[in-house]
Amino acid sequence: RRRHMPSFDEKVEALRLLREKRLAKQRQDEEKKSEAHAPLQEPRPDPAGPGGVAEADALFCSGHCHERGLHGCDVDLAAAAEMYQLAAEKGHVVSQWRFGELCETGQGGLVPPDAKQALHWYTMAAQAGNSQAQSSLALLLEEGTDDVPRDEAGACKWHRAAAEQGHALSQYCLACLLVEGRGEPRNSSDAEQWLQRSAEQGFGPARELLKEVQAKPTESNEYAGRDAAASSEDVGEAGLLGLAQRIATQIGALDTAEAQAMLDELLADDAFCINGGRGLPAGSDNGGEDGQALGPDAEGDFFEA
């Protein structure tokens, strides 16, 4: 029987397959060698577990649930403080504020309160821009304790930082410090602006204080009418009516007793009540240039609102 002789093309194809088989074996050998010398890779940690990027967030959430008794957790301030502290040490800003507050109040098993610890954690969070921590730090510095000396300048600084972020309590406290000149030079105009901003947010004490401020004449304008009249050399009928209007405005802001006392004082002061503040004209007894008394019944009634 005649033997089959492979063609030239068949020989070329057989050589190609052989070459591919050898190359594949070489690649497998190289991969095995590289795996044998490669360092062992640690498994990727759970993001919320130890070493994970969200570990601090998980600790904070746990602390919050224990502090508030949420999601099936009992209220446990000691556990909350522990979780907050762990998160705070990892740089979690809100946890720094919350742990600082637990330190200041002595809750979470911290008895007595630790103001120094509170100061440390408040400052960390305040410097990171947390408005709640800034306000808490300002209040601590404003009041002072045995361990933390009072620092009204520092209180003003941090109340202002929180106020500028819209913190209503700090807006109110800053207004009080400014109007009293504590921590910064007295600035009634700035104080009223911050009081207004706090009141606009619905902060009760600010709204009440603003009502009192707006209802009470300021010391600078309480006798504005008297000063204006005394300095005028020629106050005519229009000037007298303007003076009466200012007096009426002032009286409208007073209660009955205060208004009556002011009226008695004004009526007793001839230099103020008569002839536009210049006193009696020459040759007159007790009236104006025409001899008529410039009292409540005269033209341009002083006390008509």
Side-chain angles (χ1 to χ4, degrees), residues 67-233:
E67 182 183 8
R68 305 294 183 183
L70 303 174
H71 301 291
C73 296
D74 294 329
V75 174
D76 186 342
L77 296 181
E82 181 181 356
M83 297 296 104
Y84 283 148
Q85 183 174 9
L86 290 171
E89 291 170 349
K90 294 181 179 296
H92 195 277
V93 175
V94 181
S95 292
Q96 291 169 345
W97 162 57
R98 296 304 309 133
F99 183 56
E101 186 168 287
L102 292 180
C103 290
E104 183 182 7
T105 59
Q107 299 180 32
L110 301 171
V111 181
D114 191 336
K116 283 187 176 180
Q117 276 273 69
L119 177 67
H120 169 73
W121 291 113
Y122 283 159
T123 302
M124 293 282 288
Q127 290 175 341
N130 183 274
S131 64
Q132 296 284 3
Q134 290 169 346
S135 183
S136 296
L137 175 58
L139 291 169
L140 179 60
L141 294 174
E142 185 179 345
E143 296 298 325
T145 68
D146 292 339
D147 297 325
V148 177
R150 181 179 296 178
D151 180 0
E152 291 182 340
C156 251
K157 169 188 172 181
W158 289 113
H159 272 315
R160 186 178 292 279
E164 289 173 349
Q165 295 194 67
H167 196 285
L169 171 59
S170 275
Q171 290 171 342
Y172 168 76
C173 292
L174 179 60
C176 293
L177 289 172
L178 290 173
V179 81
E180 296 170 5
R182 297 167 53 200
E184 289 186 12
R186 189 171 185 271
N187 189 330
S188 299
S189 175
D190 198 17
E192 187 169 353
Q193 290 181 18
W194 285 115
L195 191 63
Q196 179 73 45
R197 291 174 67 174
S198 180
E200 288 173 354
Q201 295 196 68
F203 188 63
R207 296 173 68 178
E208 292 300 317
L209 182 56
L210 187 62
K211 288 180 183 178
E212 295 178 14
V213 170
Q214 293 175 339
K216 182 178 180 181
T218 62
E219 183 178 356
S220 61
N221 68 19
E222 186 174 356
Y223 297 105
R226 176 180 299 184
D227 294 339
S231 63
S232 174
E233 292 298 326

